Structure formats: C-alpha cells, structure tokens
Amino acid sequence: MGGIEIGANESLMNPLTLFLQADIIVKMVMVGLLLASVWTWAIIISHGMKIGAMRKKSERYERDFWRAEDIDRFYQARGDDEVPAARVFSAGLSEWRRSTKNSHVDRDGTRERLSTAMGAAIAAEMDKLSDRLNILATVGAVAPFVGLFGTVWGIMRAFTDIAGMSSTSLDVVAPGIAEALFATALGLFAAIPAVIAYNRLTHGLNRLEARLTRFADGFHSTLSRELESDS
C-alpha cells in the first residue's frame, strides 16, 4: 500500500500531469509562461553571442586602427567593416571632411560637430545592440505576477472543489493546490533567468559603450591636434 501511495504522489507531481489536470485558465497561464521562457532564452543566447562577438571585433578593429599610419588609407580598407567602432570612426571622419573642406575652418565648431557625430553613432550602435532587451526586463517583472494569478485561480478552484464535495480530505485539496503552485514555479522559471540575463547583458553593453566612447575620445583628440597643426 505504501508503494502505491508513493507512486500516486509521484504521478501527481509530474509536470505534464499537473498541466493536464489544470483548468483552462491555469493552462493558459502555464502555456504563456512557457512561451515567455522560450522567448527569453532565445534572446539571451542570441544577444549574448552578438554582444560578445561585437566586443571582440571592436577590440581588434581599434587595435588595427591605432597601428595604422595613414587614416585615409585605413578608411578605404576598413571603413565599411560591420563593427561598431568602424561606424563611429566613419561618422567622425565624414564630419571631419565636411567641416574642413573650406579654406576657413571653424575649429571650435568642428570639434563640437565631431563630438556630436561620434556620440550619435555610439548611441545608434547601442540602440541596435540593446533591441529586445526590454523584453527580458518585462518578463522578469511580470512573469511572477502572472504565475501568482494562476496560483490564486488554482487555489480558488481547489476551495470550490472542497465546497462541492463537502470534504476537506487531502485527496480533494492536493491536486488543485499542486496545479496552483506549479503556475508560480513556472513564473519564477521564466522570471529568474530573464532578470539575471538582463543585468549581465546590460553590463556588457555598458562596457562596450564605454570602450566606444574612449575610442571616439581618442580619435577626437587626434583630429583636434590636426586642427591645431593646421593653424
């Protein structure tokens, strides 16, 4: 008899069994949370790989840039690279050429425009790389409450079953309570990785942005010295 009870309890705790026994509302909550979890992991993997690759490519690009002896020649060879640092470099050099094509050069205005152009390029790159990260923040904030909604609904159903059967036996209460708590577990299963990944990926983006800013500042200083040498 004890073995039968243990087998019954194990069957009751089976996730598939809990899902199949749940009513339509709790099932919808569970399916929604599972889809949110899959979507979250897809974003985590794709963005983690993309940010890591872009950081390494930018590091190599910057290293090659600072080793280059001729900026114009480097731009012809590497100006169109699909790297954030390349687009920052292209934005700065394009603005430099527009600002210095006339005989009279407004040095202060040129410096200001260079800073604005490269700052805008950095912001555009960060916007592209951070696309869909807000979904992680949303899932991390909302999923526990969605799971809690499923839990509350399941507990209400369990109490309804108790009232209908006029019994407080554990056999009557347990299935509904287990389904309800499973919904909460799914909410946490979706939310916890989303919050951790959002913080880690945001940290990675902040590091990349700081690196691009330092690169832009260095290039800005190089061009500023060029302005002074032309005076």
Side-chain angles (χ1 to χ4, degrees):
M1 293 295 291
I4 295 174
E5 290 178 359
I6 292 174
N9 289 336
E10 290 177 350
S11 177
L12 181 62
M13 292 304 295
N14 185 291
L16 181 59
T17 301
L18 292 172
F19 174 77
L20 293 175
Q21 290 179 348
D23 71 353
I24 186 62
I25 300 298
V26 180
K27 282 181 179 177
M28 290 173 62
V29 169
M30 291 179 180
V31 169
L33 290 172
L34 285 173
L35 291 176
S37 180
V38 171
W39 196 8
T40 292
W41 279 106
I43 294 173
I44 291 171
I45 294 171
S46 64
H47 276 64
M49 295 175 62
K50 181 165 63 174
I51 292 171
M54 286 299 177
R55 184 173 64 248
K56 291 178 181 178
K57 288 180 180 179
S58 286
E59 289 173 359
R60 289 195 296 267
Y61 188 91
E62 291 175 36
R63 184 173 60 248
D64 294 341
F65 172 81
W66 293 117
R67 290 175 178 174
E69 296 181 357
D70 190 307
I71 290 179
D72 289 323
R73 189 176 303 146
F74 182 83
Y75 178 75
Q76 292 174 359
R78 304 283 301 278
D80 294 330
D81 284 13
E82 293 296 319
V83 183
R87 286 185 274 269
V88 173
F89 166 56
S90 296
L93 189 59
S94 297
E95 182 57 44
W96 165 263
R97 288 174 173 175
R98 286 193 296 269
S99 297
T100 59
K101 65 182 180 180
N102 298 321
S103 58
H104 176 71
V105 178
D106 180 2
R107 293 180 177 81
D108 291 336
T110 298
R111 291 188 178 95
E112 183 68 26
R113 287 190 293 272
L114 285 171
S115 179
T116 300
M118 289 190 285
I122 292 173
E125 291 303 309
M126 291 301 102
D127 284 343
K128 286 191 290 186
L129 289 173
S130 63
D131 182 42
R132 295 191 298 171
L133 284 189
N134 62 315
I135 295 173
L136 297 182
T138 301
V139 171
V142 174
F145 294 101
V146 175
L148 182 60
F149 170 76
T151 297
V152 172
W153 188 273
I155 290 175
M156 289 170 58
R157 180 184 172 219
F159 281 126
T160 301
D161 292 341
I162 292 172
M165 296 182 182
S166 300
S167 171
T168 57
S169 170
L170 187 61
D171 292 336
V172 175
V173 178
I177 298 296
E179 297 160 14
L181 295 178
F182 186 52
T184 295
L186 286 177
L188 295 176
F189 179 75
I192 292 173
V195 171
I196 294 174
Y198 178 79
N199 289 333
R200 291 302 304 165
L201 292 174
T202 300
H203 175 68
L205 285 175
N206 289 339
R207 290 179 59 191
L208 179 57
E209 183 178 10
R211 186 178 191 91
L212 290 175
T213 300
R214 288 193 297 270
F215 172 71
D217 289 343
F219 186 39
H220 187 279
S221 297
T222 300
L223 296 178
S224 293
R225 286 192 293 270
E226 187 71 19
L227 281 175
E228 294 171 1
S229 66
D230 291 341
S231 59

